[in-house]
Amino acid sequence: MIRLPRRIARLYSSLRPKSFLPIAPYRSSKRTSPIANAETSTTEAPPRRPTWASRILDPSRSALNLLYSTAKFLLPLFLLTHLAWHYLFEIVSPLGASMLPTLYLSGQWVVLSKWYRRGRGVEVGDIVSISHPFILHEGAIKRVIGMPGDFVLAGTPGMSGVMVKVPRGHCWLGGDNQEWSRDSRYYGAVPLALVRGKVVSRFAPRGERIWFKNPLKKVEGVDEVG
C-alpha cells in the first residue's frame, strides 16, 4: 500500500466533496445463463392490438365513451347501407301470378337496379318495380308496355280496340299473365315517379339465377310507320 505525503493527502481531502459516498453497483446473487434468457425472450408473445369489440366492451370506459364508440362504428355502416339500398341495388321477394312464367308465384328473389329510379333510362319491354298507385306501402312488378307519347291498347288485346296515348311523365304497364294481372288496364297510366327500379336478375334458393334483358330490338332503316 502506497502512502501519500501529508500535504498531498490534506489537499486531496479538501478538494473531495464531503457528501460523496461510493456506491457499489448492484449485482444479483442469482446467476442466469444467456441461453435461458434467449429462450424466455423468444417464447414471449408480442402484445396484441385491441380490436374494436374489446374497446367497446371495455368495462373501464365510461358510458359516454361507450356510446360514442358505438355510434362512431355503427353510423357510417348505417349510412353506407342506406345509400346502397336506395340508390344502387335492392333485393325483394315478389308474390303473385301476374308475371308468370317470367316470375314464380313465390320462393324467389329479384334484384332491382336503382339506377332506373323514377323511370330514368326505362324502355318499352323492361320489367320494373313500382309503388302501387292505389294501395299504400305496397309494390308491384310489371312490364313496360308504353312510354310517354306512345299509343297503346286501353284493354286486353283481342277484346277491345280502343287506343290511348300515354301522357307525359307516365308509363303504361302490363303483366305477362294478363288473365291474373291488375295493371294499367284497370288503373291507367302510372307516373314515372313511382318507378322504384328495374328488375335485372332473378335467383332462387336452389341456386337458379337468371339475368333479364330487354326482349325487344330497335327497328333500323324505317322512317315512318303506317
Side-chain angles (χ1 to χ4, degrees):
M1 183 175 181
I2 302 173
R3 294 183 178 180
L4 298 176
R6 292 182 178 179
R7 294 182 179 180
I8 298 177
R10 292 176 181 176
L11 179 62
Y12 175 75
S13 60
S14 62
L15 296 176
R16 185 179 181 182
K18 297 181 180 180
S19 61
F20 175 79
L21 293 176
I23 301 176
Y26 172 78
R27 293 183 181 180
S28 177
S29 60
K30 298 181 180 180
R31 297 183 178 180
T32 56
S33 62
I35 300 177
N37 294 336
E39 292 180 356
T40 55
S41 61
T42 54
T43 54
E44 292 181 357
R48 298 179 59 182
R49 297 183 60 184
T51 60
W52 64 269
S54 62
R55 293 175 180 174
I56 292 178
L57 300 178
D58 187 4
S60 63
R61 307 189 67 175
S62 62
L64 185 60
N65 291 338
L66 178 62
L67 180 62
Y68 173 76
S69 301
T70 306
K72 186 178 179 181
F73 172 75
L74 295 180
L75 186 59
L77 182 62
F78 172 77
L79 292 178
L80 290 177
T81 305
H82 174 77
L83 293 176
W85 194 260
H86 285 271
Y87 297 100
L88 295 179
F89 293 97
E90 183 180 356
I91 300 177
V92 297
S93 179
L95 298 174
S98 63
M99 287 298 293
L100 285 173
T102 306
L103 300 178
Y104 302 147
L105 291 172
S106 62
Q108 64 188 339
W109 298 87
V110 295
V111 180
L112 305 180
S113 175
K114 291 305 188 72
W115 175 259
Y116 300 89
R117 291 175 65 250
R118 303 183 181 274
R120 178 175 56 181
V122 173
E123 299 178 353
V124 175
D126 292 338
I127 303 175
V128 296
S129 174
I130 63 169
S131 299
H132 204 283
F134 293 104
I135 304 177
L136 190 63
H137 304 304
E138 289 290 336
I141 295 180
K142 306 294 179 183
R143 191 178 295 274
V144 179
I145 306 298
M147 292 297 288
D150 295 341
F151 287 89
V152 296
L153 279 174
T156 305
M159 299 180 62
S160 174
V162 179
M163 302 288 292
V164 296
K165 184 178 181 180
V166 181
R168 183 179 179 182
H170 291 68
C171 62
W172 195 269
L173 303 177
D176 291 354
N177 187 11
Q178 295 184 358
E179 295 182 0
W180 295 88
S181 175
R182 291 187 177 273
D183 43 46
S184 293
R185 296 173 296 168
Y186 296 90
Y187 45 72
V190 177
L192 291 174
L194 296 181
V195 176
R196 298 168 54 189
K198 174 182 173 180
V199 179
V200 296
S201 177
R202 180 193 76 189
F203 62 94
R206 293 173 294 179
E208 179 186 3
R209 181 177 299 175
I210 296 177
W211 295 92
F212 292 111
K213 295 182 179 180
N214 195 318
L216 302 181
K217 297 181 179 180
K218 294 183 179 181
V219 180
E220 299 180 356
V222 179
D223 298 334
E224 297 182 359
V225 180

